[in-house]
Amino acid sequence: MTTRNRSAMRVLRDRDAGLYLTGVVISGFGTSALWLASGIWVKDLTGSDGLAALCLFAMWAPSLAGPLLGTLADRTRRKPLLIRTNLALAALLPALFAVDSAGRVWILFAVLLVYGAAGVVHDAAEAALIASAVDKSLLGDFNGLRMTANESMKLIAPLAGAGLYAAYGGPFVALLDAVTFVLATLLYACLRVHESPPPPPKTSWRTRTAEGAAYLWRHERLRPLVLAGGTTMLLSGLSAATLYAVIEGLGHSPAYAGPLYVLQGVGSVAVGLASGPLLRRLGERGFAAYGIALTGAAMALRAVPADLAVLGSAVAAGTGLPCVLIAGLTAVQRETPQEMLGRTAATANTLLFAPTAIGLAVGAALIEPVGHQVLLVGCALALLLTALPLSQRRASASRTESRSASDANPA
C-alpha cells in the first residue's frame, strides 16, 4: 500500500471523520446541482449571461462578512451549530418554487445570498471542529479527502442537476438540495464529539472579530499563503464569469456547462487524494505555487476556441485551483489556537473566497465590452506572476534549511 493510501485509510478509519465526509458527499451533491441549475435557470428566464454569472456572485458575496459571521463559531459549540445551519437551509430552499418568471428571479438571488451566509458559518464551525478531532499530521490528508468528497460530486451532480432541471424545472433541483441537507444533518447528529461550552466573552464582538485578521496578518507563514490564495480566487472568479460566453463561442447550449463541471471534478478528485503526501513533500507554499501556476495554464487554454482545449482546461483548473485552498486551510488549522480558530478560519476563508465574488462581479461587467478571450489571457498571466513569490519563498526556505543542516554537521 502506498504512503498516500495509508494516510487516507488512517483518516477514514476514524468513525467521526468517516461520518463527516459522508455528510460532505451528500450535501455537496445537492449544492453542486443547485450551482449549475441556478445559472441555467436565470439564463433561460432572462437570456442574460451577466445575470447568470451573478448567481455565483450571490453565493460568494456573504464571504465578505466572514470575520463577523465566523465569530459565531467561537461563541457556541460547533456540532449543534452545524446541525442548525443545515436544517435552516433545508427549510429555506423550497421558497424557490415561487421563481417562475424573469420578474421573480430576485427571489432566487435572495435565497442564494442566505445560502452563502449559512455556508460561511458552516465552514468556520467545521474547520474548528475538525482541527480538534483529527491529528495535526493528518489535517492535510483530511482536507484533501474533504475536497475530494466535495468535488467528486461534480462528476455526477451537474449532470443530474441539469437533467432534473430539464425534466422538471429549477424548483425540483432546490428540493433535491433541501433533502440532501436533511440527510447530512442526520449524519452530523451521530458525531461523537465532546465539546465544552465556550467561556463568556471578555471583549466586544468587534474586538473578537478583529482578532482573526490580526492573527493572520502578524503570522509570517500564513500571511503570504492567504494573500496568494485570495489573488488566485479573484482571478478565478473573473475567469468563471466567462463560462457561458466560452460555451456560446463554441456553439453549444448553456447545458454544456455540465460536462465542464464534471471534468473539473475529475481534476479536483485527483489532487484531493494526493494532497496529503504532496503537502509533506512540497510544503504548503510549494504545493500552493504549483497549483496556482497550473490554474494559470488552464485559463490560457480556455481562451482557445476549440472543444478539446476548453475540456482540457476544465481538468487543469480542477487540479490546480484546490491546491492553494487546501494548503491555506491546513496551515491555518495547524498554526491557530483552538479558542480562536473559528473566527481565524472564517477570516482566512473571507480573504480566500470573497475575492471570487468581486471577480465574478467585475467579470460580469467586463465580459461584453472586453471579450472573454482577453479576460482569460490576462487572468493566466496574472496567475503565473502570483505563483512566483511563493516558489521563491520556498526555495529560500530550502536553502536556509540546508545551510542550517551543514552548520549543525560540519565535515
Side-chain angles (χ1 to χ4, degrees), residues 99-190:
V99 181
D100 56 4
S101 66
R104 292 190 172 184
V105 164
W106 68 269
I107 299 175
L108 174 58
F109 286 121
V111 169
L112 292 178
L113 281 169
V114 177
Y115 196 111
V120 172
V121 176
H122 184 283
D123 289 346
E126 171 202 302
L129 187 66
I130 293 305
S132 63
V134 177
D135 188 272
K136 286 186 180 294
S137 66
L138 293 176
L139 281 174
D141 299 277
F142 180 88
N143 289 327
L145 287 173
R146 183 194 179 283
M147 180 70 70
T148 295
N150 196 36
E151 295 298 317
S152 66
M153 290 302 96
K154 292 179 180 177
L155 297 175
I156 52 176
L159 294 178
L164 186 61
Y165 174 84
Y168 300 105
F172 284 89
V173 181
L175 182 61
L176 169 67
D177 197 13
V179 171
T180 63
F181 277 119
V182 173
L183 295 176
T185 299
L186 296 176
L187 290 170
Y188 297 154
C190 295

Side-chain angles (χ1 to χ4, degrees), residues 14 25 56 101 126 167 186 242 263 351:
D14 183 274
V25 169
L56 284 176
S101 66
E126 171 202 302
L186 296 176
T242 70
L263 291 174
L351 295 173

Side-chain angles (χ1 to χ4, degrees), residues 338-352:
Q338 180 65 215
E339 64 272 11
M340 62 182 300
L341 182 51
R343 74 201 91 154
T344 304
T347 301
N349 282 337
T350 293
L351 295 173
L352 288 171

Side-chain angles (χ1 to χ4, degrees), residues 252-406:
H252 299 296
S253 70
Y256 189 73
L260 294 180
Y261 277 116
V262 169
L263 291 174
Q264 184 173 329
V266 170
S268 298
V269 167
V271 78
L273 291 172
S275 62
L278 287 174
L279 277 169
R280 285 186 283 271
R281 179 181 179 85
L282 301 172
E284 282 129 359
R285 289 176 180 172
F287 185 54
Y290 281 115
I292 294 169
L294 182 57
T295 305
M299 295 304 101
L301 198 59
R302 181 170 287 188
V304 179
D307 282 283
L308 188 59
V310 172
L311 293 172
S313 76
V315 178
T319 304
L321 192 58
C323 296
V324 69
L325 303 177
I326 295 172
L329 176 59
T330 301
V332 168
Q333 289 174 313
R334 285 176 176 166
E335 302 286 343
T336 306
Q338 180 65 215
E339 64 272 11
M340 62 182 300
L341 182 51
R343 74 201 91 154
T344 304
T347 301
N349 282 337
T350 293
L351 295 173
L352 288 171
F353 294 114
T356 305
I358 298 171
L360 285 165
V362 173
L366 294 179
I367 183 68
E368 293 177 359
V370 175
H372 67 277
Q373 290 175 315
V374 173
L375 287 178
L376 287 168
V377 172
C379 289
L381 293 174
L383 283 166
L384 294 176
L385 291 175
T386 301
L388 189 59
L390 283 181
S391 61
Q392 290 176 336
R393 286 174 180 269
R394 177 175 177 265
S396 176
S398 298
R399 288 193 296 270
T400 300
E401 291 174 1
S402 297
R403 286 196 297 267
S404 297
S406 298

